[in-house]
Amino acid sequence: MILDRRRLLAGISLAVAGLSVMAAADPDGATRGVDDEVPVRPGVVYALGDKRDGGFNEGALHALEFFRNETGEAYLEAELQSVDGFGGAVDGLVRQGANLIIAVGFYYADAVKMCAAAHQDVRFVLVDGVAEGPNIRSIVFREQEGAYLVGVLAALASKSGTIGFVGAADVPLMQKFAAGYAAGARATRPEVTTLVDYVGTDPAVAFRDRDRAAEVARGLIGRGADVVFAVAGEANLGVFQAAREAETLAIGVDSNQNGVVPGTILTSMLKRVDIAVLRSLDDMRAGVWSAGLVTLGVREHAVGWAIDDNNRPLVTPEMEEAVETARRAIADGSITVPDPTRP
């Protein structure tokens, strides 16, 4: 599915500070025209697994398809089953003419650093991780803010007073999700218990292990959790299956997964990889691309929650208002959601 132009531009307007694909603002406020644009030949290395994963990868894919349809700039792509294949994939993309490499996944950080040093005339974007280099842009999200919002909703939807979290692996990124989720629930219903468990220890495997994810979810449900937040990539499908079988609720992540199992998925925490990717594509084309760290959260409309026809029957107006009140408070700084990975 290709993103609708109006919906995408509405969603990214704040994140890209008014930049569009075909005309972008210079730092001094001048507008660059078509004659000033820099040709962009993007190459993407998707997170391990299927590029049409209904989540993280698909967000990047949607941005690239949108960019191609708007500009006529074709993109190159590589799907991997192992991090070890990253260097070879990048070499192949560069040989085909890629001048901007987009790496989707925190576990590519070391490989991005090495490849960027070997291809100093190519720019690299690492989504969801940090790597340092003069030709590397690292984009990370304040996931804890979006997780806080769905934690508010989970606490209000729970009948048992116990909610669950299934992450792919116990790594800092997952800890941000888990902490924000528990914080949002606790702020809403102090007596709520949040159970946390993980699919595995190796993220490269855990993000795709649907059977193990289903098993972990069943364990949390057996301990009383009636809303389970799934943050496990493709393995989310196992969590959704377990929730449907138990007639409990689940929460999706990254893209809007509400329609995967309507009536079971309470909401999805949105993590707008499309915004992150499109912002870098825009900047490159406008000639204003820069290396360094970019952080995106609620204020930039880059994390949030999803409500649509698939989950609206599960969300009362009072529940929706509670989440929106929290979202506005995070955006204006009234609520600060701590990052457990920072001192």
Side-chain angles (χ1 to χ4, degrees):
M1 179 182 69
I2 298 174
L3 291 179
D4 176 81
R5 175 185 174 83
R6 288 172 297 178
R7 284 195 299 113
L8 180 59
L9 290 182
I12 66 173
S13 58
L14 291 181
V16 297
L19 300 184
S20 71
V21 171
M22 296 305 292
D26 275 332
D28 62 4
T31 299
R32 302 180 64 88
V34 173
D35 292 342
D36 298 318
E37 290 173 351
V38 176
V40 183
R41 180 73 159 168
V44 60
V45 181
Y46 295 106
L48 300 179
D50 189 352
K51 70 178 181 181
R52 295 194 180 276
D53 60 358
F56 207 59
N57 276 338
E58 201 145 358
L61 175 61
H62 286 170
L64 288 159
E65 290 179 338
F66 177 82
F67 184 77
R68 179 194 61 197
N69 292 341
E70 286 290 294
T71 67
E73 301 275 12
Y75 63 89
L76 304 166
E77 57 186 357
E79 294 180 81
L80 303 182
Q81 297 302 313
S82 168
V83 175
D84 293 340
F86 185 86
V90 168
D91 290 343
L93 295 173
V94 172
R95 281 197 299 271
Q96 295 176 70
N99 60 356
L100 176 68
I101 300 293
I102 299 161
V104 185
F106 66 90
Y107 36 68
Y108 291 137
D110 290 341
V112 164
K113 186 174 182 178
M114 291 179 61
C115 289
H119 299 283
Q120 296 184 23
D121 57 340
V122 176
R123 288 163 177 169
F124 287 75
V125 174
L126 175 60
V127 180
D128 222 26
V130 178
E132 294 183 357
N135 56 335
I136 302 172
R137 173 181 289 186
S138 300
I139 302 178
V140 297
F141 297 83
R142 298 190 294 277
E143 291 92 355
Q144 69 274 15
E145 295 179 353
Y148 185 102
L149 299 180
V150 301
V152 170
L153 193 62
L156 293 173
S158 177
K159 296 177 181 178
S160 68
T162 299
I163 61 176
F165 174 89
V166 177
D170 189 3
V171 296
L173 176 63
M174 295 291 113
Q175 293 163 11
K176 292 169 68 177
F177 280 102
Y181 181 59
R186 189 168 56 249
T188 305
R189 285 177 62 184
E191 75 280 7
V192 165
T193 298
T194 303
L195 305 176
V196 176
D197 205 350
Y198 296 95
V199 176
T201 58
D202 181 356
V205 176
F207 276 106
R208 293 178 283 171
D209 194 341
R210 301 180 188 182
D211 292 340
R212 175 58 183 159
E215 181 182 342
V216 172
R218 292 187 190 104
L220 297 182
I221 293 168
R223 295 166 59 190
D226 58 356
V227 184
V228 178
F229 184 18
V231 186
E234 289 182 37
N236 273 14
L237 296 177
V239 177
F240 299 160
Q241 177 185 350
R244 181 176 59 185
E245 291 170 352
E247 298 184 347
T248 56
L249 297 173
I251 295 174
V253 78
D254 297 334
S255 296
N256 183 350
Q257 298 183 315
N258 294 352
V260 177
V261 189
T264 292
I265 302 180
L266 176 63
T267 187
S268 299
M269 192 207 105
L270 301 178
K271 184 172 173 181
R272 299 294 301 274
V273 177
D274 52 350
I275 286 177
V277 171
L278 191 60
R279 178 175 184 167
S280 288
L281 293 168
D282 274 349
D283 287 353
M284 181 82 167
R285 188 169 177 83
V288 297
W289 191 94
S290 60
L293 179 65
V294 174
T295 302
L296 302 173
V298 165
R299 185 168 54 252
E300 296 82 12
H301 291 205
V303 299
W305 71 296
I307 185 162
D308 57 22
D309 291 343
N310 292 301
N311 69 328
R312 193 169 292 279
L314 302 172
V315 181
T316 67
E318 293 77 15
M319 293 162 69
E320 182 175 358
E321 179 55 30
V323 180
E324 282 300 296
T325 297
R327 184 191 61 78
R328 291 190 292 267
I330 293 171
D332 68 21
S334 301
I335 292 177
T336 300
V337 186
D339 179 350
T341 66
R342 292 178 176 268

